[in-house]
Amino acid sequence: AKSDQQIWPCGKCKKNTLQSNSILCDGRCSKWFHGDCVLTEEEKHKYFVQKSKDKWHCKECVSLLQESIRWGDMVGKNEIRGELDKIYEEMVQWRNNLFEVPRGKAGKDFIEELSRIISELVYNTKWKSLSLKIVRIFMPL
């Protein structure tokens, strides 16, 4: 059957994988893994029985994702901090209350992003060093 076709060596045990019992990492490595090698029983049920389309990342790619910080098209603390510094320096020249609070979808998106950034600060994540400056930029908007 086509669903049991051999694919690639498992990223963990190196034995050939079968499509029916293996999962593809959606991260940078794009390796196949046997479900038994990397998934919990709950995850195996989710991906193989329920046929979830949720993305899955191997431990190595999760590690890489956690190390890299992305915001829009910017990658890394230095690039983001440099852009934030420029924005902040410009903003301190603005008049107070120059803009009204956004409304509708833009307002909802604004509040969701601001809340997400504040939670990064509160929960002491890799974003902590940038979060306070981002909040200071968002508030006058």
Side-chain angles (χ1 to χ4, degrees):
K2 188 173 184 172
S3 65
D4 280 342
Q5 204 173 21
Q6 286 190 345
I7 306 191
W8 302 105
C10 174
K12 185 168 184 179
C13 74
K14 307 300 182 216
K15 294 179 184 170
N16 282 343
T17 58
L18 298 176
Q19 194 169 1
S20 61
N21 68 351
S22 300
I23 189 162
L24 176 66
C25 176
D26 288 302
R28 210 179 267 179
C29 77
S30 297
K31 292 179 183 175
W32 283 91
F33 294 84
H34 292 115
D36 288 337
C37 288
V38 294
L39 300 177
T40 64
E41 290 302 316
E42 186 178 305
E43 289 171 322
K44 284 190 261 186
H45 182 75
K46 175 182 176 180
Y47 290 104
F48 300 137
V49 177
Q50 295 176 336
K51 306 289 186 197
S52 173
K53 299 293 182 201
D54 290 351
K55 292 185 179 208
W56 177 82
H57 295 86
C58 69
K59 285 184 180 180
E60 185 178 309
C61 288
V62 166
S63 233
L64 290 172
L65 287 170
Q66 290 173 342
E67 289 173 11
S68 66
I69 296 178
R70 295 178 177 273
W71 198 33
D73 293 333
M74 296 176 282
V75 179
K77 286 182 181 180
N78 291 338
E79 183 178 0
I80 295 169
R81 183 175 285 117
E83 196 62 30
L84 291 174
D85 288 345
K86 286 190 263 180
I87 293 167
Y88 185 75
E89 289 305 315
E90 181 180 326
M91 284 180 51
V92 294
Q93 308 297 320
W94 293 355
R95 292 189 331 247
N96 286 338
N97 300 319
L98 183 61
F99 300 105
E100 291 184 17
V101 174
R103 290 182 171 76
K105 181 174 177 355
K108 182 177 182 273
D109 292 347
F110 175 83
I111 296 299
E112 283 177 0
E113 181 67 0
L114 182 59
S115 298
R116 185 186 70 77
I117 291 167
I118 289 171
S119 72
E120 299 289 346
L121 176 66
V122 170
Y123 293 112
N124 201 20
T125 69
K126 62 186 177 189
W127 280 84
K128 184 177 182 177
S129 65
L130 300 172
S131 296
L132 191 55
K133 185 165 268 189
I134 293 171
V135 169
R136 289 169 59 192
I137 288 171
F138 266 54
M139 294 315 295
L141 294 176

PDB file of all heavy atoms in Angstrom, residues 5-21:
ATOM      1  N   GLN A   5       4.794   3.028   2.257  1.00  0.00           N
ATOM      2  CA  GLN A   5       5.981   3.196   1.449  1.00  0.00           C
ATOM      3  C   GLN A   5       7.150   3.649   2.329  1.00  0.00           C
ATOM      4  O   GLN A   5       6.990   4.489   3.203  1.00  0.00           O
ATOM      5  CB  GLN A   5       5.667   4.276   0.412  1.00  0.00           C
ATOM      6  CG  GLN A   5       6.488   4.228  -0.806  1.00  0.00           C
ATOM      7  CD  GLN A   5       5.951   5.236  -1.827  1.00  0.00           C
ATOM      8  OE1 GLN A   5       5.264   6.175  -1.498  1.00  0.00           O
ATOM      9  NE2 GLN A   5       6.301   5.015  -3.066  1.00  0.00           N
ATOM     10  N   GLN A   6       8.345   3.057   2.113  1.00  0.00           N
ATOM     11  CA  GLN A   6       9.520   3.503   2.853  1.00  0.00           C
ATOM     12  C   GLN A   6       9.864   4.923   2.420  1.00  0.00           C
ATOM     13  O   GLN A   6       9.783   5.260   1.243  1.00  0.00           O
ATOM     14  CB  GLN A   6      10.705   2.582   2.594  1.00  0.00           C
ATOM     15  CG  GLN A   6      10.591   1.270   3.297  1.00  0.00           C
ATOM     16  CD  GLN A   6      11.880   0.474   3.213  1.00  0.00           C
ATOM     17  OE1 GLN A   6      12.762   0.769   2.420  1.00  0.00           O
ATOM     18  NE2 GLN A   6      11.966  -0.542   4.049  1.00  0.00           N
ATOM     19  N   ILE A   7      10.249   5.734   3.388  1.00  0.00           N
ATOM     20  CA  ILE A   7      10.520   7.129   3.068  1.00  0.00           C
ATOM     21  C   ILE A   7      12.007   7.439   3.238  1.00  0.00           C
ATOM     22  O   ILE A   7      12.783   7.330   2.316  1.00  0.00           O
ATOM     23  CB  ILE A   7       9.666   8.068   3.937  1.00  0.00           C
ATOM     24  CG1 ILE A   7       8.203   7.661   3.777  1.00  0.00           C
ATOM     25  CG2 ILE A   7       9.885   9.506   3.542  1.00  0.00           C
ATOM     26  CD1 ILE A   7       7.203   8.593   4.325  1.00  0.00           C
ATOM     27  N   TRP A   8      12.435   7.786   4.428  1.00  0.00           N
ATOM     28  CA  TRP A   8      13.808   8.187   4.728  1.00  0.00           C
ATOM     29  C   TRP A   8      14.239   7.533   6.032  1.00  0.00           C
ATOM     30  O   TRP A   8      13.414   7.072   6.799  1.00  0.00           O
ATOM     31  CB  TRP A   8      13.901   9.710   4.887  1.00  0.00           C
ATOM     32  CG  TRP A   8      13.450  10.467   3.693  1.00  0.00           C
ATOM     33  CD1 TRP A   8      12.283  11.149   3.550  1.00  0.00           C
ATOM     34  CD2 TRP A   8      14.134  10.644   2.458  1.00  0.00           C
ATOM     35  NE1 TRP A   8      12.193  11.721   2.313  1.00  0.00           N
ATOM     36  CE2 TRP A   8      13.335  11.433   1.616  1.00  0.00           C
ATOM     37  CE3 TRP A   8      15.366  10.206   1.973  1.00  0.00           C
ATOM     38  CZ2 TRP A   8      13.708  11.791   0.335  1.00  0.00           C
ATOM     39  CZ3 TRP A   8      15.739  10.574   0.685  1.00  0.00           C
ATOM     40  CH2 TRP A   8      14.916  11.360  -0.109  1.00  0.00           C
ATOM     41  N   PRO A   9      15.527   7.574   6.329  1.00  0.00           N
ATOM     42  CA  PRO A   9      15.968   7.059   7.630  1.00  0.00           C
ATOM     43  C   PRO A   9      15.413   7.930   8.761  1.00  0.00           C
ATOM     44  O   PRO A   9      15.296   9.149   8.610  1.00  0.00           O
ATOM     45  CB  PRO A   9      17.497   7.176   7.577  1.00  0.00           C
ATOM     46  CG  PRO A   9      17.845   7.432   6.154  1.00  0.00           C
ATOM     47  CD  PRO A   9      16.640   7.989   5.493  1.00  0.00           C
ATOM     48  N   CYS A  10      15.085   7.310   9.863  1.00  0.00           N
ATOM     49  CA  CYS A  10      14.591   8.027  11.040  1.00  0.00           C
ATOM     50  C   CYS A  10      15.687   8.964  11.541  1.00  0.00           C
ATOM     51  O   CYS A  10      16.860   8.590  11.602  1.00  0.00           O
ATOM     52  CB  CYS A  10      14.211   7.018  12.127  1.00  0.00           C
ATOM     53  SG  CYS A  10      13.741   7.772  13.699  1.00  0.00           S
ATOM     54  N   GLY A  11      15.303  10.173  11.882  1.00  0.00           N
ATOM     55  CA  GLY A  11      16.255  11.157  12.392  1.00  0.00           C
ATOM     56  C   GLY A  11      16.852  10.780  13.731  1.00  0.00           C
ATOM     57  O   GLY A  11      17.853  11.354  14.151  1.00  0.00           O
ATOM     58  N   LYS A  12      16.243   9.799  14.418  1.00  0.00           N
ATOM     59  CA  LYS A  12      16.779   9.379  15.713  1.00  0.00           C
ATOM     60  C   LYS A  12      17.497   8.030  15.636  1.00  0.00           C
ATOM     61  O   LYS A  12      18.673   7.929  15.948  1.00  0.00           O
ATOM     62  CB  LYS A  12      15.658   9.318  16.753  1.00  0.00           C
ATOM     63  CG  LYS A  12      16.161   9.019  18.131  1.00  0.00           C
ATOM     64  CD  LYS A  12      15.112   9.250  19.175  1.00  0.00           C
ATOM     65  CE  LYS A  12      15.738   9.020  20.553  1.00  0.00           C
ATOM     66  NZ  LYS A  12      14.790   9.244  21.604  1.00  0.00           N
ATOM     67  N   CYS A  13      16.800   6.966  15.191  1.00  0.00           N
ATOM     68  CA  CYS A  13      17.396   5.620  15.196  1.00  0.00           C
ATOM     69  C   CYS A  13      18.081   5.254  13.879  1.00  0.00           C
ATOM     70  O   CYS A  13      18.778   4.260  13.796  1.00  0.00           O
ATOM     71  CB  CYS A  13      16.339   4.573  15.538  1.00  0.00           C
ATOM     72  SG  CYS A  13      15.180   4.231  14.184  1.00  0.00           S
ATOM     73  N   LYS A  14      17.862   6.049  12.836  1.00  0.00           N
ATOM     74  CA  LYS A  14      18.478   5.875  11.510  1.00  0.00           C
ATOM     75  C   LYS A  14      17.916   4.712  10.687  1.00  0.00           C
ATOM     76  O   LYS A  14      18.350   4.490   9.575  1.00  0.00           O
ATOM     77  CB  LYS A  14      20.009   5.728  11.600  1.00  0.00           C
ATOM     78  CG  LYS A  14      20.695   6.827  12.375  1.00  0.00           C
ATOM     79  CD  LYS A  14      20.460   8.188  11.777  1.00  0.00           C
ATOM     80  CE  LYS A  14      21.205   9.261  12.564  1.00  0.00           C
ATOM     81  NZ  LYS A  14      20.499  10.498  12.663  1.00  0.00           N
ATOM     82  N   LYS A  15      16.947   3.944  11.216  1.00  0.00           N
ATOM     83  CA  LYS A  15      16.312   2.879  10.433  1.00  0.00           C
ATOM     84  C   LYS A  15      15.286   3.504   9.511  1.00  0.00           C
ATOM     85  O   LYS A  15      14.736   4.574   9.801  1.00  0.00           O
ATOM     86  CB  LYS A  15      15.638   1.871  11.360  1.00  0.00           C
ATOM     87  CG  LYS A  15      16.620   1.093  12.224  1.00  0.00           C
ATOM     88  CD  LYS A  15      15.886   0.141  13.130  1.00  0.00           C
ATOM     89  CE  LYS A  15      16.867  -0.564  14.057  1.00  0.00           C
ATOM     90  NZ  LYS A  15      16.165  -1.322  15.093  1.00  0.00           N
ATOM     91  N   ASN A  16      14.998   2.841   8.372  1.00  0.00           N
ATOM     92  CA  ASN A  16      14.033   3.389   7.427  1.00  0.00           C
ATOM     93  C   ASN A  16      12.665   3.577   8.072  1.00  0.00           C
ATOM     94  O   ASN A  16      12.226   2.761   8.882  1.00  0.00           O
ATOM     95  CB  ASN A  16      13.888   2.492   6.201  1.00  0.00           C
ATOM     96  CG  ASN A  16      15.047   2.666   5.243  1.00  0.00           C
ATOM     97  OD1 ASN A  16      15.784   3.641   5.316  1.00  0.00           O
ATOM     98  ND2 ASN A  16      15.208   1.720   4.343  1.00  0.00           N
ATOM     99  N   THR A  17      12.005   4.665   7.691  1.00  0.00           N
ATOM    100  CA  THR A  17      10.675   4.965   8.212  1.00  0.00           C
ATOM    101  C   THR A  17       9.614   4.504   7.228  1.00  0.00           C
ATOM    102  O   THR A  17       9.891   4.345   6.035  1.00  0.00           O
ATOM    103  CB  THR A  17      10.506   6.483   8.436  1.00  0.00           C
ATOM    104  OG1 THR A  17      10.725   7.157   7.201  1.00  0.00           O
ATOM    105  CG2 THR A  17      11.472   7.001   9.481  1.00  0.00           C
ATOM    106  N   LEU A  18       8.421   4.279   7.727  1.00  0.00           N
ATOM    107  CA  LEU A  18       7.247   4.018   6.897  1.00  0.00           C
ATOM    108  C   LEU A  18       6.307   5.187   7.076  1.00  0.00           C
ATOM    109  O   LEU A  18       6.138   5.699   8.176  1.00  0.00           O
ATOM    110  CB  LEU A  18       6.548   2.717   7.321  1.00  0.00           C
ATOM    111  CG  LEU A  18       7.361   1.436   7.186  1.00  0.00           C
ATOM    112  CD1 LEU A  18       6.575   0.258   7.744  1.00  0.00           C
ATOM    113  CD2 LEU A  18       7.721   1.188   5.730  1.00  0.00           C
ATOM    114  N   GLN A  19       5.704   5.617   6.003  1.00  0.00           N
ATOM    115  CA  GLN A  19       4.837   6.780   6.055  1.00  0.00           C
ATOM    116  C   GLN A  19       3.708   6.615   7.067  1.00  0.00           C
ATOM    117  O   GLN A  19       3.306   7.567   7.712  1.00  0.00           O
ATOM    118  CB  GLN A  19       4.268   7.058   4.662  1.00  0.00           C
ATOM    119  CG  GLN A  19       3.627   8.412   4.530  1.00  0.00           C
ATOM    120  CD  GLN A  19       3.325   8.740   3.074  1.00  0.00           C
ATOM    121  OE1 GLN A  19       3.571   7.959   2.172  1.00  0.00           O
ATOM    122  NE2 GLN A  19       2.779   9.903   2.853  1.00  0.00           N
ATOM    123  N   SER A  20       3.230   5.387   7.245  1.00  0.00           N
ATOM    124  CA  SER A  20       2.072   5.160   8.108  1.00  0.00           C
ATOM    125  C   SER A  20       2.364   5.317   9.598  1.00  0.00           C
ATOM    126  O   SER A  20       1.449   5.548  10.378  1.00  0.00           O
ATOM    127  CB  SER A  20       1.495   3.761   7.858  1.00  0.00           C
ATOM    128  OG  SER A  20       2.470   2.780   8.166  1.00  0.00           O
ATOM    129  N   ASN A  21       3.624   5.212  10.009  1.00  0.00           N
ATOM    130  CA  ASN A  21       3.921   5.313  11.442  1.00  0.00           C
ATOM    131  C   ASN A  21       5.045   6.310  11.739  1.00  0.00           C
ATOM    132  O   ASN A  21       5.721   6.203  12.740  1.00  0.00           O
ATOM    133  CB  ASN A  21       4.279   3.936  12.014  1.00  0.00           C
ATOM    134  CG  ASN A  21       5.604   3.401  11.493  1.00  0.00           C
ATOM    135  OD1 ASN A  21       6.198   3.968  10.576  1.00  0.00           O
ATOM    136  ND2 ASN A  21       6.059   2.306  12.068  1.00  0.00           N
TER     137      ASN A  21
END
